[in-house]
């Protein structure tokens, strides 16, 4: 007897902010102090990877290997998002920690 498969959920992403909002759903938790990489293939999420910022700083994570995993998913775009609780935005870095700075940049993967 064939196994029933669950229908795939489709999320429409219309802006970089929408993609940032989607990251916790892709990972299954809200990242903190993390680098998140998302590989897109023909506009669809092909791979998602996360690494702790502390592990990256201590050279315990090889980012080149992580990026290669995303590229092997046939990704044609790579998006990176940094979650850092220490980041401050606003004049004189005096805003509260409830505001977070999110940066994402889309570009060709492997290029």
């Amino acid at each position: 007897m064939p196994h029933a498969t669950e229908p795939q959920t489709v999320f429409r992403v219309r802006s970089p902010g929408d993609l940032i909002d989607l990251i916790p759903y892709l990972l299954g938790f809200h990242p903190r102090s993390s680098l998140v990489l998302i590989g897109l293939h023909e506009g669809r999420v092909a791979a998602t990877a996360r690494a702790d910022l502390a592990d990256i700083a201590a050279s315990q994570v090889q980012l080149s290997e992580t990026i290669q995993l995303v590229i092997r998913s046939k990704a044609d775009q790579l998006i990176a998002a940094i979650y850092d609780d220490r980041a401050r935005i606003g004049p004189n870095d005096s805003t509260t920690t409830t505001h977070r700075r999110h940066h994402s940049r889309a570009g060709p993967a492997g290029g």
Side-chain angles (χ1 to χ4, degrees), residues 67-68 71 75-78 107-111:
I67 291 169
Q68 286 301 316
I71 291 171
D76 51 36
Q77 289 186 317
L78 177 64

Side-chain angles (χ1 to χ4, degrees), residues 16-25 27 29-38 49-54 80-87 100-103:
D18 287 349
L19 186 59
I20 295 296
D21 291 343
L22 183 61
I23 288 174
Y25 299 99
L27 295 174
F29 61 93
H30 291 272
R32 295 179 60 119
S33 300
S34 301
L35 170 67
V36 178
L37 300 177
I38 301 170
R50 188 201 66 82
D52 288 327
L53 294 178
I82 296 172
Y83 290 79
D84 188 351
D85 295 336
R86 299 169 301 163
R100 293 191 180 158
R101 178 180 298 175
H102 298 289
H103 293 286

Side-chain angles (χ1 to χ4, degrees), residues 25-80:
Y25 299 99
L26 294 172
L27 295 174
F29 61 93
H30 291 272
R32 295 179 60 119
S33 300
S34 301
L35 170 67
V36 178
L37 300 177
I38 301 170
L40 301 176
H41 176 71
E42 297 180 357
R44 296 181 182 261
V45 174
T48 306
R50 188 201 66 82
D52 288 327
L53 294 178
D55 291 346
I56 295 168
S59 299
Q60 294 176 352
V61 171
Q62 296 296 322
L63 285 182
S64 60
E65 292 175 13
T66 305
I67 291 169
Q68 286 301 316
L69 288 171
V70 174
I71 291 171
R72 277 186 243 139
S73 73
K74 308 235 187 273
D76 51 36
Q77 289 186 317
L78 177 64
I79 301 195

